[in-house]
Amino acid sequence: MNNDDSLTPPDNLLQALATRVRVLRREQGLTQEQLADRAGLNPRHIQKVEAGELNVTISTLSALALALGVTITGLIEPHLVSESRPQTTSLSRLSPNEMLPCCRNTDALNSIGLTPEMLCHAIFHAYTVIDSIDSSLLEGGLERLAGGTVELANLSSIFGNLLGAGVALHSGGQFVRNGSHKFPDLVSVNSNFESGIEIKVALETNIPKGHLAKSGIYFTFRYVLVTVSGFDRSHRGDIVSIWEVRCGRLSDIDFSLSNTAGDSGKTAVIKTEALRQMSLVYFDQALCPYKRYVYFN
């Protein structure tokens, strides 16, 4: 009897997934706990997946694929095991635990019902989904989202939605997503904290903006576009990576209002000084697009 479970995958999809995850994990010398850390999942989830007991969501499937360096297809199709080595078209992401040293001002996060761990898992969730989309695009002979498939303004909007979903998912039930195009993006279900959080996203050194100036608690995420080799300030890549996150309360007077054709109507840009006053809760020095970072606090 052959005990190599990579040779005779079962017909059942969940069992096939269980076999695939177990084989790939062992090939890469990972424990279940190490894989869970890479994927931003609970170790118990990995145990259930490998036992064929967990009916996984697309989010979990994407997280596992990214953590193991394969496509989603490579996880569920038996004949692709031989292609399971990490691909050169994928960026090696930090796990949520590896992101924690980038976190700062824990009290600012705690005051709105979040923790550094929740923030890191939310960021990783957004990476997981967008990397999975990019992987599928590349498989189809197309460019990544940031490589020209969508305009950068639309990319920021897409990424902001993914971050909002990640915060809600990993907030321990503190927040739920609001309806489409409703303020704020996240609604608190705990009366001990603020009523909600609005998320704004901007590329590189741009200042986050929106269509309306509204008072409330804001999360601002700024990202750079890197290559599979990493970040190069002089060369824009096509892989989204966050370098800065801030949070804090903004009022109407903290926005500059414009109504220019280039902005497609009314635009509310957070004033630079207001952005500086927000608490810096995540900062990745290696991805900072400034030669000299003057907004650190």
Side-chain angles (χ1 to χ4, degrees), residues 96-107:
N97 281 347
E98 291 170 330
M99 292 181 193
L100 283 175
C102 294
C103 292
R104 292 161 167 69
N105 294 313
T106 300
D107 289 346

Side-chain angles (χ1 to χ4, degrees), residues 232-253:
D232 182 348
R233 191 180 295 113
S234 63
H235 175 68
R236 180 180 284 176
D238 57 6
I239 302 174
V240 175
S241 293
I242 291 172
W243 70 272
E244 179 202 69
V245 183
R246 290 177 178 267
C247 75
R249 175 174 289 279
L250 297 176
S251 62
D252 295 358
I253 63 172

Side-chain angles (χ1 to χ4, degrees), residues 80-98:
L80 291 179
V81 173
S82 61
E83 300 176 9
S84 63
R85 297 296 183 269
Q87 303 168 16
T88 57
T89 54
S90 299
L91 176 70
S92 178
R93 298 285 195 187
L94 297 178
S95 72
N97 281 347
E98 291 170 330

